[in-house]
């Protein structure tokens, strides 16, 4: 192992509880948290504001390369900054979730964001949360966990999550969005949402947040002890 502290790759579909789990696991291990979905959301937001189509791969790739995307650590967790401005709230909408899924299909976008993600995790001591961390970004991660849950359980969590942010969301609409996003994320040609062959699967349906966090921490500590 070349890193003193591990890279923890936490992958899985939308709404499997990844964000909250990743944050709590990072806290428990004393690691930094990197939410890679926020980078795709930030790109979708920047594209919308600059009139770049979510379907235009080359233009999106160029935009991703030119943007200053970074995370600012705060007491409430990392916040996405886009060209120096805090855009964390603006990226946490259903629209930007959909936009992120659309922009993330383009190979030019994935290439442009790959180096940034690797730089954020290169020293270890980091939990990277995403879709392709264990397969593409850090195939040599010491710890790989793939979180899943039924689409219904995930939709229920997303609705609660959005409500907590003061947004009204209909369950059926959120469920349909999740099923559609799963399909798009899993079937895209580049870096599709598939578990790494060596990832440990954790199905969180019916598990409490505490149970999931404890299980992932246990997997991470077990791997680090090897
Ligand atoms: O986790 P999230 O909902 O913030 O992710 C938004 C979209 O970004 C998701 O639908 C797929 C894409 N994404 C990706 O393709 N690769 C990642 N590592 C993270 C997110």
């Amino acid at each position: 192992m070349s890193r003193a502290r591990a890279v923890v790759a936490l992958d899985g579909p939308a709404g499997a509880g990844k964000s909250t789990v990743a944050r709590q696991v990072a806290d428990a291990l004393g690691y930094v948290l990197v939410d890679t979905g926020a980078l795709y959301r930030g790109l979708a937001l920047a594209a919308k504001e600059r009139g770049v189509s979510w379907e235009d791969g080359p233009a999106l790739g160029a935009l991703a390369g030119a943007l200053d995307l970074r995370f600012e650590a705060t007491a409430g967790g990392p916040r996405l900054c886009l060209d120096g401005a805090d855009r964390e709230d603006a990226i946490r909408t259903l629209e930007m979730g959909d936009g992120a899924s659309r922009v993330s299909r383009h190979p030019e976008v994935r290439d442009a964001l790959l180096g940034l993600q690797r730089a954020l995790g290169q020293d270890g001591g980091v939990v990277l949360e995403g879709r392709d961390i264990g397969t593409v970004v850090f195939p040599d991660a010491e710890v790989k966990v793939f979180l899943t849950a039924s689409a219904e359980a995930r939709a229920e969590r997303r609705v609660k999550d959005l409500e907590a942010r003061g947004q009204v969301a209909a369950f059926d609409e959120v469920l349909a969005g999740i099923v559609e996003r799963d399909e798009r994320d899993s079937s895209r040609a580049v870096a599709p949402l598939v578990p790494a062959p060596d990832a440990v699967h954790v199905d969180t349906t019916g598990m409490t947040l505490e149970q999931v966090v404890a299980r992932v921490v246990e997997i991470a500590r077990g791997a680090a002890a090897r």
Side-chain angles (χ1 to χ4, degrees), residues 10-15 18-19 35-41 91-93 96-105 110 117 128-133 137 158 181-182 184-185 188 190-193:
L10 194 57
D11 290 306
K18 258 183 319 165
S19 310
D35 167 8
T36 61
L39 303 174
Y40 292 95
R41 287 171 180 264
I91 64 168
R92 301 296 167 191
T93 62
M96 289 310 144
D98 184 56
S101 169
R102 289 175 190 279
V103 303
S104 70
R105 276 181 301 177
R110 305 210 72 90
Q117 295 174 80
L128 286 118
E129 176 216 328
R131 300 290 192 287
D132 61 339
I133 308 303
V137 182
R158 259 288 138 108
R181 192 125 72 96
D182 278 359
R184 190 162 52 217
D185 291 350
R188 69 178 171 221
V190 198
L193 173 66

Side-chain angles (χ1 to χ4, degrees), residues 8-9 12 59 90 132 183 187 210 217 226:
V8 178
D132 61 339
E183 170 60 24
S187 63
E210 292 70 27
V217 167
R226 279 205 298 271

Side-chain angles (χ1 to χ4, degrees), residues 33-35 38-39 42-43 64 66-73 78-88 91-92 113 116 120:
L33 168 68
V34 176
D35 167 8
L39 303 174
L43 177 61
L67 280 178
D68 177 17
L69 282 165
R70 62 181 75 210
F71 291 100
E72 191 183 294
R79 296 181 67 84
L80 185 81
C81 292
L82 199 58
D83 286 341
D86 182 332
R87 305 307 305 276
E88 180 66 24
I91 64 168
R92 301 296 167 191
L113 294 181
L116 174 58
L120 288 167

